[in-house]
Amino acid sequence: MNQHAKLRIGHSACPHDCPSTCALEVELLDNNRIGRVHGAKANSYTAGVVCAKVARYADRVHHPDRLLKPLVRSGSKGEGGWKESSWEAALDLVAEKFIAAEETYGSETVWPYFYAGTMGLVQRDGIERLRHAKKYSGFFGSICTNLAWTGWMMGAGALRGPDPREMAKSDCVVIWGTNAVVTQVNVMTHATRARKERGARIVVVDIYDNATMKQADLGLVLKPGTDGALACAVMHVLFRDGFADRAYLEKYTDDPRGLEEHLRTRTPEWAATITGLTVSEIETFAHLVGTTKKTYFRLGYGFARQRNGSVNMHAASCIAAVTGAWQYEGGGAFHSNSGIFKLNQDVLEGTAMRDPKVRYLDHSRIGPVLTGAEDSLYGGPPVTAMLIQNTNPANVAPEQRLVRKGFLREDLFTCVHEQFMTDTAKLADVVLPATMFLEHDDIYKGGGNQHITLGPKLIEPPEGRAPTTMSMRSSESGWASATGRASA
Ligand code: SF4
């Protein structure tokens, strides 16, 4: 038997915060090591393709800089002095600090802070169970999806759209606000199939000449935050030049005449001064989508990166309603399928223990929260203890000087559960090593497709045995998955 024939393949899902949620085939070299990671051919959305970074995931899983032991700060905050600890001692310290904080200020002084470092439902959302049980402050996730989802919901009313595999049946695919070549390769798989098989045009709208733009038949580079102006001018042209599907608008939309009136002054000339595009580019785009009924608008999270993102998303999502593209297979608009999954997470999140009186603190306001801004604390106590999972706010949250200043407070105790020594972990009091997705069980739902994929544990975490629970009586060494569930 040759080497290739012996290769075992494990099945999983990509855990990254990426709408593709690729189904994976992982080369298992032994019980501890993986080789290349491939896209699952049998999954009709993944279609055998994954992005380059996940194909080389072995580099991350087996990276020498992975955290291996619990660490307790030994020097001043943020200065890098650490001593290794047993799990038992580290977890006892965290529990003691949380209890002491709670006794001084009440339970809302503890703020579990987490996001989408893994999209596994168990490892991402299980922390909610702890916070509900203990009545710790809630976490309102506002950085990534909120503006885009709000804008989408204002128009479509539900977080769903035509099956993204329908892009392969489109005559025009508009990739707007997402650099799909780099961040969700499957969009390109289906869009380029439409181009090859049907001669479909690919339009890319973004704020810089990115890798996806280079694949476009028509690329529109506009100024940040001006998408709504472009969308309004496109709809102006659609009404003006007879491309609006008035029968569809009358049947399925609430105020088509009001919209037309509103758009009367939103000319291409008006939009050109705002967007930086030429009048000709705007007219060309409008005529293309107006004459191509099977146009699929793939609207990405770029809309969430500006303060006016909700109105921009709303405007862009309305174009497909004006053309009536929704009626045709391969046409319509899509942002996320997150609304189609009706999984009951009550047990996972401990919602029966939820106290609605407990405050929610804003994800993106962590800087003001940690530096005591009263409006961000909603009249409640200061935050004096945190458990951080699956996110790195010292790098990704706004107002980073405030964030860092907050983490350096002597009266703040911070525990970070991480895979590597991130900039946030460097500011912590206790750092706990976390498993990676191939080292624990989880389940994933696809925001950019409609699959639910199981990601079972495929390999052992490095260095010794894993604890069976992340409890006060955990093993002396090893690892904890994000919820403290068994990783063995
Ligand atoms: S394209 Fe997205 S979901 Fe697919 S492997 Fe890459 S990061 Fe993961």
Side-chain angles (χ1 to χ4, degrees):
M1 190 179 281
N2 65 32
Q3 192 67 25
H4 186 70
K6 284 187 209 161
L7 204 58
R8 283 189 305 133
I9 298 294
H11 298 275
S12 190
C14 176
H16 283 287
D17 187 8
C18 166
S20 286
T21 320
C22 291
L24 305 179
E25 292 176 355
V26 184
E27 295 178 3
L28 302 175
L29 305 184
D30 56 37
N31 289 341
N32 301 297
R33 296 194 71 79
I34 65 163
R36 293 285 292 182
V37 176
H38 308 273
K41 290 196 180 65
N43 180 298
S44 55
Y45 186 70
T46 304
V49 180
V50 289
C51 62
K53 66 178 179 289
V54 170
R56 295 171 42 230
Y57 217 82
D59 293 352
R60 182 176 173 92
V61 174
H62 305 303
H63 197 284
D65 292 345
R66 272 190 76 172
L67 293 167
L68 299 174
K69 296 275 173 62
L71 299 171
V72 175
R73 178 168 67 86
S74 60
S76 299
K77 280 209 172 194
E79 290 192 349
W82 300 97
K83 62 178 187 315
E84 287 185 359
S85 166
S86 67
W87 273 98
E88 187 172 56
L91 289 170
D92 278 351
L93 177 61
V94 175
E96 284 161 13
K97 292 288 187 181
F98 280 19
I99 290 166
E102 192 179 339
E103 284 174 354
T104 306
Y105 292 105
S107 63
E108 288 181 330
T109 196
V110 184
W111 191 21
Y113 191 96
F114 59 100
Y115 208 57
T118 173
M119 293 295 276
L121 301 184
V122 178
Q123 307 299 336
R124 186 191 61 192
D125 300 334
I127 190 173
E128 289 281 37
R129 198 174 166 82
L130 169 68
R131 98 118 169 125
H132 288 143
K134 292 292 296 173
K135 301 189 192 309
Y136 293 156
S137 281
F139 175 89
F140 176 67
S142 57
I143 289 182
C144 185
T145 60
N146 200 34
L147 289 168
W149 283 17
T150 302
W152 175 268
M153 292 295 284
M154 283 192 295
L159 207 51
R160 59 176 182 257
D163 185 333
R165 290 170 294 193
E166 281 189 28
M167 275 184 282
K169 298 175 180 173
S170 301
D171 294 325
C172 177
V173 180
V174 179
I175 302 170
W176 192 332
T178 179
N179 188 5
V181 163
V182 176
T183 61
Q184 41 171 336
V185 288
N186 319 88
V187 168
M188 297 312 295
T189 300
H190 298 285
T192 52
R193 193 171 147 209
R195 176 192 266 163
K196 268 191 212 136
E197 294 179 1
R198 312 170 53 81
R201 309 291 300 280
I202 296 177
V203 181
V204 175
V205 185
D206 218 311
I207 60 167
Y208 66 106
D209 186 11
N210 59 28
T212 310
M213 192 76 71
K214 297 193 191 325
Q215 306 273 326
D217 299 296
L218 174 63
L220 301 174
V221 180
L222 43 60
K223 291 181 186 169
T226 66
D227 310 70
L230 171 61
C232 285
V234 167
M235 291 188 282
H236 170 97
V237 173
L238 294 173
F239 280 111
R240 184 195 71 193
D241 295 353
F243 297 123
D245 186 334
R246 293 178 189 279
Y248 180 86
L249 285 165
E250 287 297 335
K251 191 168 178 189
Y252 292 108
T253 67
D254 58 354
D255 186 18
R257 274 164 267 185
L259 175 64
E260 185 172 3
E261 187 54 37
H262 173 73
L263 295 170
R264 215 169 284 286
T265 56
R266 274 62 171 183
T267 62
E269 290 75 15
W270 167 82
T273 60
I274 297 169
T275 60
L277 296 168
T278 65
V279 170
S280 163
E281 285 175 312
I282 296 169
E283 297 262 1
T284 300
F285 179 37
H287 283 165
L288 176 61
V289 301
T291 55
T292 313
K293 287 299 177 187
K294 284 191 176 190
T295 293
Y296 193 107
F297 290 83
R298 182 65 180 84
L299 307 174
Y301 283 98
F303 291 92
R305 309 304 187 242
Q306 296 291 326
R307 286 179 191 273
N308 61 354
S310 288
V311 292
N312 287 331
M313 169 62 91
H314 180 227
S317 73
C318 289
I319 299 174
V322 174
T323 63
W326 287 89
Q327 296 162 96
Y328 308 99
E329 189 179 29
F334 182 89
H335 175 52
S336 171
N337 255 340
S338 297
I340 68 172
F341 304 100
K342 306 294 182 192
L343 299 180
N344 183 332
Q345 295 193 201
D346 284 349
V347 172
L348 172 60
E349 297 183 26
T351 47
M353 297 181 282
R354 179 173 169 266
D355 180 346
K357 295 192 291 301
V358 172
R359 71 178 172 184
Y360 276 79
L361 298 176
D362 189 330
H363 182 192
S364 62
R365 302 282 293 161
I366 181 173
V369 165
L370 293 187
T371 50
E374 284 186 15
D375 61 338
S376 297
L377 292 167
Y378 299 109
V383 169
T384 61
M386 296 183 79
L387 171 59
I388 298 177
Q389 290 185 326
N390 297 316
T391 187
N392 182 11
N395 281 150
V396 302
E399 301 178 277
Q400 291 194 354
R401 285 189 193 87
L402 280 187
V403 176
R404 182 175 170 81
K405 186 176 169 196
F407 276 124
L408 289 173
R409 271 173 41 209
E410 282 304 325
D411 65 334
L412 173 69
F413 175 83
T414 307
C415 173
V416 173
H417 187 200
E418 252 302 350
Q419 297 164 349
F420 291 96
M421 187 56 90
T422 61
D423 284 346
T424 306
K426 286 176 188 164
L427 297 169
D429 297 281
V430 171
V431 179
L432 301 174
T435 44
M436 289 192 183
F437 77 107
L438 297 170
E439 298 158 357
H440 54 236
D441 296 332
D442 217 323
I443 188 165
Y444 304 84
K445 49 187 188 183
N449 58 70
Q450 39 264 75
H451 292 87
I452 295 174
T453 311
L454 179 69
K457 179 182 173 185
L458 296 175
I459 55 169
E460 295 296 330
E463 287 241 326
R465 63 207 163 97
T468 52
T469 60
M470 184 171 150
S471 69
M472 295 304 106
R473 297 289 169 262
S474 188
S475 60
E476 285 297 307
S477 64
W479 295 68
S481 52
T483 58
R485 279 186 70 241
S487 9

